Amino acid sequence: MERHLMDSKIKGVSTGTTILAVTFNGGVIIGSDSRASIGGYYVSSKTINKLIQVHDRIFCCIAGSLADAQAVTKAAKFQISFHSIQMESPPLVKAAASVLKELCYNNKEELQAGFITAGWDRKKGPQVYTVALGGMLLSQPFTIGGSGSTYIYGYADAKYKPDMSKEECLQFATNALALAMGRDNVSGGVAHLVVITEEGVEHVVIPGDKLPKFHDE
Amino acid sequence: MTSYDLSASTFSPDGRVFQVEYAMKAVENSSTAIGIRCKDGVVFGVEKLVLSKLYEQGSNKRIFNVDRHVGMAVAGLLADARSLSEVAREEASNFRSNYGHNIPLKYLSERVAMYVHAYTLYSAVRPFGCSFIFGSYDQDDGPQLYMVDPSGISFGYWGCAIGKAKQAAKTEIEKLQMKDMTCRELVKEVAKIIYIVHDEVKDKAFELELSWVGEVTNGKHELVPKDIRVEAEKYAKEKTEDGSSTL
């Protein structure tokens, strides 16, 4: 029996995944699961990090082909770092997202990776940008992505509120990841969360058994 | 002395590159252009000498748009200036394409300066014979003013002048309290300064080219509207007929 998954066309290791980013009052939370799979049958890594730091206050989460995503983020990290040094100031989140977008769009034939860029900058504060597979760039207050995201669109749309506090936002993100990981077989492992504010960057890791449970008995 | 000034790739014994200095002389032969930064914007004024009565009014522009939010006033060899304005436009456009937002003026000015500097290194090419003044306005960074000269350096200014009467213009600019002025007030003062430094004897007719970018134009660089320009010229003529000219 063939199971059709969102990224079943991807050869090799893919991040059948759940990723999200949510703005709150004063910052942004970016989160992901930690499972990497091959063909949807074999879990090649239970503890992979899908949250890549591209600059002091800017993170990216990756979905799709892991190899493609790593190559693109490596190139983007270099470009953004160089740009920031030339500008003599921290890069705008929009600039970082644009760099990713240019890489994705110009190489769309070869690549199969999508990204969520989130961060904080002095000009516009906390922001979230989606860079889709073909290179579309979109700014949103919050966004979800990856194969697991299909199971939580309803939850996210219903429960998101603008201007949440940090604690409310952490609860929202944790719940969303837990629900997705609970239903999507290619998402799982631990929940990685990064809280980005003007003051700094805080990593939160929630092991699978400590995630909120929803009728799991 | 003669052999040290033949190419830009030769220093003189006292450490000068004569070709670059000669390029700056080309700028000094051109008519004056000034740029002043105020509280909420930047105003440019250019004394455009009319060499022939057959010229169409408003032709031979000396002020260019580099990007929506950036203006550029030039002095020196106009052909050089026009080709450099294309270079500046491409820089601004590429930046926006790569990074998704308006190019910061400091960065644009440095990039153009780097380009101009490259032409001062080799004997196969000659340095650009023009200086320019860049100005922009942005909601967050406010008004910015930068000047690039043929040697390839760029500095930020509150007010600067280039061209034949730059010393006299600088003296007039220094009298202004530009940090407390608005664009509307400054437009009149810029017109007045151009009228003051214009030499009635040596150069006959001239056209005043005025442009601005600031809160008053919502961050868009454009030529000053006709009615405001007419009013500014009227003010300038009154003030200079008073005999208050300092030339």
Side-chain angles (χ1 to χ4, degrees), chain B residues 212-226:
Chain B
W212 58 2
V213 58
E215 222 181 295
V216 64
T217 64
N218 242 320
K220 178 167 178 273
H221 174 257
E222 50 190 34
L223 290 178
V224 166
K226 185 161 177 209

Side-chain angles (χ1 to χ4, degrees), chain B residues 184-199:
Chain B
R184 285 190 194 276
E185 296 161 358
L186 191 56
V187 161
K188 296 201 286 214
E189 298 302 322
V190 166
K192 186 182 104 184
I193 294 173
I194 296 286
Y195 269 82
I196 289 175
V197 304
H198 172 67
D199 189 342

Side-chain angles (χ1 to χ4, degrees), chain A residues 14-26:
Chain A
S14 88
T15 58
T17 191
T18 310
I19 49 177
L20 48 74
V22 194
T23 54
F24 64 91
N25 191 356

